[in-house]
Amino acid sequence: MELVDSSISTSAPGSIEDMRRLFRSRSIAVIGAKDSSTMAGGVIEAISRIGADGPIYPVHRSGGVVFGRPAARSCQEIGEPVDLALVIVPAAATAEVIADAGAAGIAGAVVFSSGWAESGADGRKRQDQLVADARRCGVTVIGPNCLGFANFARRSCGWVSSLPVSLSVGPVAVLSQSGGVGNAAVDLADEFGIGLSHVITTGNEAMLSTTDALAYLVEDDDTTVIAVFAEQIRNARRFRDIAGRARDAGKAIVFLKAGSSEISARNALSHTGSLVGNDRVIDAAFAQYGVIRVDSLEDLILTSGLIARTGPLRAPGVAVISISGGSCDIVADQAERTRLPLPPFDGDAAAEIRQIVPSFATVQNPLDLTGGSRGDEFKRVLNVTDHVDEVGVIAVLTNVPPYPSCKDPTFDRLLGTISDGLTSVSTPAVLLSQTVAHLNAYGRAAVARAGISLSLPGLHLGTQALAHLSWWSRHRLSASEEGTPVRADGRAEGLPSGVLSEWQSRRLLTSAGVPFVPAVLVHSVEEAVTAAGRMGGPVVLKLVSPDLPHKSDAGAVRLDVEGPAEVRQAYVAVQDAGSAACPGLRVDGVMVSPMRRTGLELLVGVQRDDEWGLVLVVGLGGVWVEILGDTAMRMLPVSRAGIERMLGELQGAALLRGARGRRPVEIDSLVDAVAAVAAAAQSLGDRLDSLEVNPLLVDGGDVEALDALLVLR
């Protein structure tokens, strides 16, 4: 089914309690049902497959008998209370059906048909009318252009497609804008042996959006992990609140977000504007609120299933045990790519392991027990690993028999030995197969016979899922230490709209506590000479104008100016450069400040994203930041601890610690400066469009802003 980026106004379906009643519907009317309808047959089969035991009422305008049940000619003719209407009539006939359902007191309806907003202007009008009709009748519509939903935990069903016979019930909910992707996710969950609480598809989201359904699932007692596929996130600020509630409740959201194109060109006034693209903002928001972003459907379902089985880990580290050195190498490489922490075995743990493994084995993580292993080494090593504080999950690498021809007593003995080890430890432990094929239906059966309850298919997918689990657990451990968001009280009254001059920007940011290099604003050559003389040593002269945000590009900046003669020449030069670049230029004056030669240049900026709000960006590189692309982002508000973690995420973080002969930066002083920028941005409220300090020069404990740019709405 085609997804649509619709501009149609959506309406939330009501409270969590309203959605709970909707997704736990018992009595169901199937409207448009007839024996020859494949869609009606699919609905009836799905209801039967999940064991729904509430009454089913076929509705067809001709009446008669449908699927062995007497059919009412309208919902009102049923004469019994009905919770949910499943609408399988064409789009053109849907308005009449919704009116009938509303008159019968039915509060919810699933509209499966296509031909709505996804089909063009006429379909968009038709969908607008559907929403208006549904609101008037008091009916909440799921869809249209969707496959509906199934609540496996409570055996409630409004689903139109097939469901796997062997699907088990569990704590993972699948939530998808796309019906096709949702259906494939259910099949994958069955293939991986992952139990589901729900599958919900939202289609065109005329009334109920993915965000609405997510709010319900976060509060649902049967769900601990929510696997989401979506092309867009409606109401991003509400999504942030919901993700925060999920984090606080210990529930995981795993998200496959399609559509990662950059849309950052709207604001070219600042470097920050070009750095804050839609997909990067989503990455930052997900990371800040503990939402796990994945890039494949397999990763979505496998990660969700793993987290549902383990919950948050006590520590983010993973220990890997194998009898294949090559597999250990593959996992080590994959771990580096995915930032999966593999804490080394040292101290007492290393000494104990050396007593277990052959003398020629290398004690490291991943650990190769070597082909000389007698079997009981697995259990003994696992028991040592169980007491390593940095390890939160243990993975045992081994082959699994994928075909009947592979049946071998050696396999069974090995799996039995591994099972003994896995069940003897308190740390979550998982079997990791070498390839996806090894954990096919036959391989899974062999693993189950051995008593192994948790397994991951293939080194690539398995390691990736473990990395996501580790990251989520680490985020939960650090979230409790997040601290109080930095804030500032301030007002934007009296400030002009548009680009402020550097002098105006300096004054506002200085009042918020942002440290700036000393400067004097002058209006004549002689004033410039006097100011430079008082500063002693080389100075910088810059033309100050709200019409010239990029002074360096226009040649209106002169560096390393020393002595009265050079100051006079520089003063005239920046004035002339400004006039040449922008005839009729408004000039506030010329700013004189001391020349700074040493230190590390950073960018600190805040950009308003129309969906997500204010985004704080910290990066290395000054004028090179767009080329280097080494940045970290957070949604505001942010705490001091969050700012410190941002700095640690930079690829150039080692420079802050004093690499290559630099003085180490006093992090507290740098955090103070970034926090002041963030607080200033928040104090400006809705007036702020963008704010940038670039560069912010740091040298040991000295932190100074050398330039600033503010754009107000």
Side-chain angles (χ1 to χ4, degrees):
M1 292 189 179
E2 182 183 358
L3 295 177
V4 58
D5 180 6
S6 173
S7 61
I8 293 174
S9 298
T10 59
S11 173
S15 66
I16 298 297
E17 187 57 39
D18 291 336
M19 283 190 282
R20 187 175 290 119
R21 284 194 291 268
L22 175 62
F23 290 121
R24 296 182 181 181
S25 299
R26 303 286 297 165
S27 53
I28 299 172
V30 184
I31 305 173
K34 55 183 178 180
D35 289 340
S36 60
S37 169
T38 302
M39 186 174 287
V43 167
I44 299 297
E45 180 184 351
I47 292 172
S48 174
R49 179 66 52 79
I50 72 167
D53 53 9
I56 301 172
Y57 302 104
V59 177
H60 193 278
R61 61 185 178 183
S62 300
V65 177
V66 177
F67 294 108
R69 297 175 173 86
R73 285 171 293 186
S74 69
C75 292
Q76 297 175 72
E77 191 179 89
I78 293 172
E80 298 288 342
V82 177
D83 300 324
L84 181 69
L86 305 183
V87 182
I88 57 176
V89 302
T94 300
E96 180 182 347
V97 166
I98 292 296
D100 175 44
I106 302 175
V110 182
V111 179
F112 300 111
S113 58
S114 55
W116 303 91
E118 81 283 357
S119 64
D122 290 342
R124 188 180 298 274
K125 292 178 183 177
R126 192 179 300 119
Q127 186 167 310
D128 278 336
Q129 189 60 51
L130 171 67
V131 172
D133 292 343
R135 286 176 180 158
R136 185 173 58 253
C137 299
V139 178
T140 296
V141 169
I142 301 175
N145 186 29
C146 70
L147 293 185
F149 77 91
N151 184 338
F152 304 104
R154 302 301 173 115
R155 296 187 297 175
S156 178
C157 189
W159 186 255
V160 73
S161 188
S162 60
L163 292 170
V165 175
S166 57
L167 185 70
S168 59
V169 177
V172 176
V174 171
L175 173 57
S176 174
Q177 282 182 345
S178 163
V181 171
N183 199 38
V186 171
D187 291 341
L188 263 179
D190 179 56
E191 177 69 21
F192 290 151
I194 294 167
L196 299 182
S197 65
H198 297 71
V199 57
I200 299 173
T201 66
T202 55
N204 288 12
E205 302 191 352
M207 292 185 74
L208 184 139
S209 69
T210 301
T211 309
D212 296 324
L214 182 64
Y216 155 73
L217 290 169
V218 166
E219 304 296 332
D220 179 59
D221 293 338
D222 301 316
T223 302
T224 59
V225 183
I226 307 160
V228 186
F229 168 79
E231 278 191 344
Q232 64 179 140
I233 298 172
R234 300 184 190 275
N235 197 338
R237 299 189 192 191
R238 184 177 177 223
F239 177 89
R240 287 172 59 175
D241 293 338
I242 294 168
R245 290 206 302 274
R247 178 191 59 201
D248 295 342
K251 297 190 177 187
I253 299 174
V254 187
F255 212 114
L256 176 57
K257 171 69 174 65
S260 59
S261 59
E262 290 287 338
I263 57 169
S264 60
R266 69 172 182 85
N267 189 344
L269 283 174
S270 67
H271 297 285
T272 308
S274 61
L275 291 169
V276 179
N278 180 262
D279 202 56
R280 295 199 66 192
V281 172
I282 289 172
D283 270 343
F286 282 7
Q288 190 167 348
Y289 288 92
V291 177
I292 303 164
R293 188 169 188 181
V294 298
D295 58 12
S296 73
L297 196 51
E298 292 85 355
D299 197 5
L300 176 72
I301 298 304
L302 197 62
T303 297
S304 298
L306 176 62
I307 293 175
R309 296 294 298 276
T310 67
L313 306 176
R314 71 183 186 197
V318 179
V320 180
I321 315 298
S322 176
I323 56 172
S324 167
S327 295
C328 288
D329 293 340
I330 294 172
V331 169
D333 289 345
Q334 183 72 4
E336 187 170 306
R337 285 191 291 270
T338 60
R339 298 187 178 183
L340 172 66
L342 300 173
F345 298 130
D346 50 23
D348 293 341
E352 290 183 58
I353 292 172
R354 287 192 186 93
Q355 299 301 311
I356 300 170
V357 299
S359 59
F360 53 84
T362 302
V363 177
Q364 60 185 8
N365 186 19
L367 177 65
D368 175 17
L369 294 180
T370 78
S373 169
R374 299 185 304 277
D376 65 333
E377 287 91 341
F378 273 111
K379 184 173 183 178
R380 295 169 63 193
V381 168
L382 285 172
N383 276 273
V384 173
T385 307
D386 193 28
H387 296 93
V388 176
D389 291 339
E390 296 80 11
V391 171
V393 64
I394 304 169
V396 173
L397 282 173
T398 187
N399 284 333
V400 175
Y403 309 109
S405 59
C406 296
K407 187 171 177 59
D408 185 328
T410 304
F411 262 131
D412 290 338
R413 284 196 300 272
L414 178 60
L415 289 178
T417 299
I418 292 173
S419 177
D420 287 344
L422 295 178
T423 55
S424 70
V425 296
S426 59
T427 304
V430 57
L431 182 143
L432 179 57
S433 69
Q434 300 238 36
T435 70
V436 175
H438 283 92
L439 273 181
N440 58 15
Y442 185 85
R444 290 199 307 274
V447 169
R449 283 197 307 272
I452 298 172
S453 60
L454 185 54
S455 56
L456 296 174
L459 301 183
H460 177 78
L461 278 177
T463 305
Q464 203 154 256
L466 287 167
H468 293 316
L469 168 62
S470 171
W471 177 87
W472 178 71
S473 299
R474 187 167 60 248
H475 184 278
R476 282 189 48 74
L477 290 170
S478 63
S480 61
E481 305 166 2
E482 188 65 26
T484 305
V486 294
R487 299 182 185 277
D489 295 325
R491 294 181 298 176
E493 289 88 345
L495 293 173
S497 299
V499 181
L500 302 189
S501 72
E502 182 181 351
W503 191 253
Q504 290 173 310
S505 299
R506 275 180 62 107
R507 291 179 63 185
L508 189 149
L509 294 175
T510 299
S511 69
V514 179
F516 273 86
V517 65
V520 176
L521 186 67
V522 300
H523 302 88
S524 69
V525 169
E526 293 309 318
E527 286 182 7
V529 171
T530 300
R534 287 174 179 167
M535 291 175 185
V539 295
V540 176
L541 274 73
K542 293 190 280 187
L543 187 67
V544 179
S545 169
D547 301 327
L548 202 65
H550 298 300
K551 300 177 287 293
S552 295
D553 295 345
V557 177
R558 289 293 184 271
L559 305 176
D560 214 8
V561 178
E562 190 166 14
E566 288 189 14
V567 170
R568 289 188 175 90
Q569 291 174 355
Y571 185 93
V572 173
V574 297
Q575 295 269 17
D576 291 346
S579 298
C582 182
L585 185 77
R586 293 174 294 167
V587 176
D588 290 352
V590 173
M591 194 165 71
V592 183
S593 59
M595 180 71 191
R596 299 294 194 234
R597 289 194 176 88
T598 61
L600 181 66
E601 292 187 346
L602 287 87
L603 171 143
V604 181
V606 178
Q607 181 77 30
R608 180 177 298 282
D609 181 88
D610 290 337
E611 289 293 324
W612 295 91
L614 296 179
V615 184
L616 174 67
V617 181
V618 177
L620 285 176
V623 296
W624 301 102
V625 67
E626 290 181 50
I627 298 172
L628 298 176
D630 184 12
T631 59
M633 295 184 187
R634 291 292 189 278
M635 308 298 105
L636 292 183
V638 66
S639 69
R640 289 180 56 85
I643 292 171
E644 189 166 347
R645 276 193 288 276
M646 289 178 73
L647 296 169
E649 291 168 10
L650 297 174
Q651 295 176 27
L655 295 173
L656 299 174
R657 295 190 292 269
R660 303 191 66 83
R662 292 181 177 273
R663 276 206 300 163
V665 171
E666 290 184 9
I667 294 299
D668 283 347
S669 299
L670 177 54
V671 170
D672 285 342
V674 177
V677 173
Q682 287 181 262
S683 73
L684 291 169
D686 293 338
R687 288 291 312 277
L688 181 67
D689 190 71
S690 65
L691 183 167
E692 182 173 289
V693 173
N694 182 33
L696 182 71
L697 192 69
V698 291
D699 186 14
D702 299 325
V703 182
E704 289 181 319
L706 302 189
D707 202 346
L709 175 64
L710 257 170
V711 184
L712 298 181
R713 294 186 168 191

